[in-house]
Amino acid sequence: MGRPHIDFIQPQLLPWQPAPPYAARQGVEAKTLSLDGDDGSCSLVLRYPAGWNGKLTMPRDEELFVLEGALLLDGARLEKGAYAHVAAGRTWQLVAGESGAVSLTFITC
C-alpha cells in the first residue's frame, strides 16, 4: 500500500519522543515524518545527545543528512550538510559530536 500521502508537515510542531524501536537508537529522540505501515520504511528527524555512541547493524538501508551538529560514522566526521548511505546488514559505529547532532534519516526496505 505504501505510505499515506501528506501535503505538508510542520516538524517544529511535532513533539520529540523516544526513537522508535525500528530505529535501534536507545537514548535518541525522534520526530516521525512518515511511516509505511506495510514494510516499515520511515522518514525521521533524530536528535542525538552529546557523546551518544552506538554500534548498529540495521536490516535495512539507511540514509542520513546532518541538519545540526556532527556525527562520526565509522570515524568519518559528518557535519551540517553532510550525507551518508549505509547498506542493509552492515555493522557500523555512530557517535554524536560534543554538542550532539540532529539528522534527517530515511530507513528503507
Side-chain angles (χ1 to χ4, degrees), residues 24-73:
R25 288 166 177 84
Q26 187 87 20
V28 172
E29 294 180 309
K31 293 184 180 194
T32 300
L33 304 178
S34 68
L35 174 63
D36 185 318
D38 293 336
D39 69 13
S41 295
C42 60
S43 303
L44 307 162
V45 177
L46 297 176
R47 182 167 63 180
Y48 298 85
W52 184 89
N53 189 335
K55 188 170 188 173
L56 306 169
T57 303
M58 299 294 287
R60 304 171 179 170
D61 280 3
E62 183 166 326
E63 297 174 87
L64 59 91
F65 181 81
V66 180
L67 300 171
E68 296 175 19
L71 293 168
L72 292 175
L73 196 158

Side-chain angles (χ1 to χ4, degrees), residues 25 56-64 73-74 83-93 106-109:
R25 288 166 177 84
L56 306 169
T57 303
M58 299 294 287
R60 304 171 179 170
D61 280 3
E62 183 166 326
E63 297 174 87
L64 59 91
L73 196 158
D74 285 343
Y83 165 87
H85 170 263
V86 181
R90 180 172 169 233
T91 298
W92 44 296
Q93 189 75 29
F106 304 100
I107 301 172
T108 57
C109 290

